[in-house]
Structures are given as C-alpha cells and as structure tokens.
Amino acid sequence: MEVGILRQIFIGIVCNLLIIDSGLNEGWSTPIIPKFKQDDPLKVSNDQIVWVVNLMYVGVGLGSIVPFLLMDRIGRKGTLLFATIPKIASWILIGLAATIGQLYIGRLMAGVGCGITYSVMPMYLGEVSSKKTRGPLGTAMAVLLNTGMMLAYAIGLWTSRFAMSMISLSLPVAFLAIFVWLPESSVFLTRKNKLTSAERTLKWALGKDDVIEELEEIKRIVASEEKSSERRARSVARSVRELFARRENRRAFRIAVILLSALTLTGAAPLLAYQSFIFVEAGFEVSTNVSIVMTGCAIVVAGSVCVSVVRFTGKRLLLLISTPICVLSLATIAIFFGLLSAGRDVSALRWMPTVFLVIYVLGYGLALNPIPLAYIGEIFHTDVKAPAAIFSSLYYAVATMLVVKFYQVLQESQGTYMPVLAFTVITLLIWLLIYRYVPETEGKTLEEIQIELRRKN
C-alpha cells in the first residue's frame, strides 16, 4: 500500500477516536436509562429521561455554532482540539453526577463536543485526504460512530454509570495527545496564504514529492472563494446568503437536507434509545441485553460492509438499496405492535420486533447512517463550508430532538405501533427523494463534484 494512503488511514484512525467517543455519547442512553429505575443511586422520572436523551442533541446544536466562530480563525485542527474540552468535562460530570441538574449539564456538554466534531471532522478529513481515500474515510466516521454505540452497549449494560464514564474518558484524552502532532488542512493553510505549509502537508499526507497538481486544484478552489467574497470578513447573514447564491450551493443544500433527513427522520435515535423497552413490551424470550448487543453488532457490521464496498458500488446505490430494507423492517414492527395493541394473539410472533429491528439496523447502518456525513464533507463549495457544516449539525440536533420527543409522546398516547408507522412512511418518502435528487460523488475530486453540481438543475 502507498505511503500516502497509509498516512491518510492513520489520520483517519486518530480523528475517529473523537468519533468513537461521540458514539459512546449517542449510545449511552440505551444501557444507562434502565439503571435509573434499578440500581443507580440517582433516580430519574420518565419526563426527565427524555431530557437526559435530548439535552445531548441540544448541545449538538449549540456546539455546531462554535466552528463558525473558530474554524476560520484557528483552523480545522485547532477547533477539533478545542472540542476535547467539553468532551472530557462531560464524562467527568456524567460519571460523578449526584443530582439531575449535574447530569443535565454533563449531557449538554457532551452534545457541545459532539456538535463541534460533527461539523468539523468531515471537512477536515475531506480536505486532508485524496479522492482514493475520501469516500472510505468519510463513511468510516459513521462506522466508528456506530462502534462507539456498540461499545456503549457492551460497557454500559454490565458496568455502573461511573465506571462507563471513566472508561470512555480515555478516548478524548488519547485523541488530544496524538492529534496535536498531526497537520492542519492544506485548504485552510492555502486560504491563509501559507503555501509552504500547505505544500508540506500535501507531501506528507499524499506520500509523494510532486504535489503541484493537487496544490493547483486547492488554489483554484480557494481562488474562486476570493473572487466571490474578495476575502472580506463575512457576517453570518452574508455567509447564509452565499449558501443560496449559486446554483451548485442550492443543489448541495437540497441534497444535504434529504440526506440529513435520512439520518434523523427515519427514527433510529428513539428506536435505539428505547429499544430495551421495545424488547420488554414484545416479550421475546431472548434477554433484552442480548437483543441490545445484537443491534449494536448489526450496525457496526453493516457500516463495515459499507466502507468495504462503497468504492465499487458508489454511495447513491447503497442508499437506494438500504432504504427499502428499513421501510420493510419498520412496517413489520408496526404491524406487530398494531396487532398487540388491538388485543390479537401474537404469542407466536414475539420474535419479530427483535429480528426486524436488527434488520432495520443493518439497513440503516449500510447507508443511511454512514453516507450522509461523507456527502456533507464533499458537496459544498469551500466558501460556504462553514455555514453548511453548522446548518448540518443544527438540523441533525433539532430533527433528532423532535423525533425523540415525537416518539415518546406518540408511543405513550397511541402505542408503539403509531410512531413506527410514521417512520415507515417518512422513510419511504426519503427513498423517493434520494432517487430523484441525490447524485453520485464517489471517486470524484472536490472540483469535479462542484462542476457536476453547476451543470445540473
């Protein structure tokens, strides 16, 4: 394997320590929430549990604003290093929390760290990698996010809240210790007119001495930004206007909304957070803990398959394959709980929620979960990447919060079948939108992607 590819893989591994940590935060609710009704010294009501889940996503929204303030001043690298501060503090607070207020603050800070990570990491990896590794590295982020969720299940189901927090704390600490030695994005360095440093970064990351072609491409990308903005400091309003000023930006925005909806509105967050209650309600004879671990393994396996095949199949085809799998799985689960709610005899069908939730997770993990983040790092022009990244994190945070609350309210008032049925319909609509509007970007340079977006309506 080429030296440059090995170095890019190394960068990806180090960066994804922060992604795995985010997965631990995302998956934390599933094993820990039942403990508040059992052996945890802190007792939490049902309404408080919803906020324990959702405050992390509130934090994601707040954290997504931080890159707008820091990313173009201290760089992508500096902003990611800054993200370790709330991440480290959150695990300490979550582990030691003796009151619900302390737990709320810990979850909020965890979300802030995740929000910064989600906004900046795709951009950083997209700018330091080549077109050969950009797709796998981009999709690997979601795979390792899922790995963090699986680790959260594996650790949290059999340890205390404090023990899980102290184990999880090691990841942002390790990231901080290693990432400080890695290079800044060559795109950012070029924008700051640090061409010698940009060239040095490219030579190291690509593993070759002749990087003239790559540096010229970056110069063209940055030059187009200078032409459109003339290097003036832009206000928030101006940056948002630029997001919609050109055809390629409008089309990228539309693609981002569709893919982020696939990530959030298909119901994965509440289904995974409340899966222990779903399994208990279904009454399947396999233990709840085993079922939870099965879903954790399924999402990691599916994501690993995505990384392995995405270079050959492309991202769009995987999206079109995985979405119907999710639709059929959700429909089957909705039918089961509909029959259960109607008082029908479902004793012979109690295996269905466990089996089809695992199938749903396999479909979701194959594309709907890993691929949107990879697209976000590729489709936006460099002069709108900052507001686009912030928008993406805000959309993710708000949509996930609403979906979790939507699930809780509808489940308590109508039964489990009703929110799952709603997710079925939404996922089907998203499949149609992907088919109509989402293009293929696999194997293309950032410049080629922008040219294609300009050409199409």
Side-chain angles (χ1 to χ4, degrees), residues 89-106:
S90 69
W91 283 122
I92 295 172
L93 271 172
I94 289 170
L96 298 176
T99 66
I100 189 65
Q102 292 170 346
L103 187 61
Y104 282 167
I105 294 171

Side-chain angles (χ1 to χ4, degrees), residues 371-393:
I371 286 178
L373 285 177
Y375 265 98
I376 299 302
E378 294 176 332
I379 60 177
F380 286 103
H381 195 274
T382 185
D383 61 347
V384 295
K385 275 192 174 182
I390 293 165
F391 161 78
S392 299
S393 289

Side-chain angles (χ1 to χ4, degrees), residues 137-252:
L137 288 180
T139 50
M141 284 191 294
V143 174
L144 292 171
L145 184 71
N146 297 336
T147 301
M149 293 176 65
M150 185 186 69
L151 288 173
Y153 301 163
I155 297 169
L157 287 171
W158 287 281
T159 63
S160 66
R161 171 165 53 95
F162 173 79
M164 179 182 175
S165 298
M166 295 304 104
I167 293 170
S168 302
L169 179 63
S170 63
L171 286 174
V173 171
F175 170 83
L176 179 62
I178 302 172
F179 187 70
V180 70
W181 304 105
L182 293 183
E184 177 57 271
S185 156
S186 54
V187 174
F188 173 78
L189 291 171
T190 303
R191 288 182 61 196
K192 295 298 182 182
N193 206 31
K194 298 180 180 180
L195 298 180
T196 302
S197 298
E199 184 177 2
R200 189 184 310 121
T201 294
L202 282 171
K203 287 180 177 179
W204 185 85
L206 300 179
K208 59 182 185 179
D209 294 327
D210 184 5
V211 294
I212 294 175
E213 182 180 347
E214 291 82 359
L215 188 59
E216 287 302 316
E217 179 188 345
I218 291 173
K219 286 180 180 179
R220 287 194 298 270
I221 293 172
V222 173
S224 67
E225 174 191 354
E226 292 174 348
K227 183 179 179 180
S228 64
S229 65
E230 297 177 358
R231 299 298 297 265
R232 294 194 300 265
R234 297 188 298 272
S235 66
V236 173
R238 179 180 175 82
S239 295
V240 172
R241 284 197 302 271
E242 289 178 359
L243 186 58
F244 302 99
R246 293 194 296 270
R247 175 187 295 179
E248 61 269 31
N249 289 340
R250 291 194 300 272
R251 189 157 188 258

Side-chain angles (χ1 to χ4, degrees), residues 26 33 56 72 75 89 105 127 132 140 175-176 202 215 232 252 259 280 299 310 349-350 420 426 442 456:
E26 295 261 13
I33 282 175
M56 200 205 81
D72 289 335
I105 294 171
E127 293 178 357
K132 289 183 180 179
F175 170 83
L176 179 62
L202 282 171
L215 188 59
R232 294 194 300 265
L259 294 173
V280 169
I299 201 167
V310 69
L349 304 174
R350 295 191 181 278
V420 177
I426 292 169
E442 187 62 32
K456 295 189 177 181

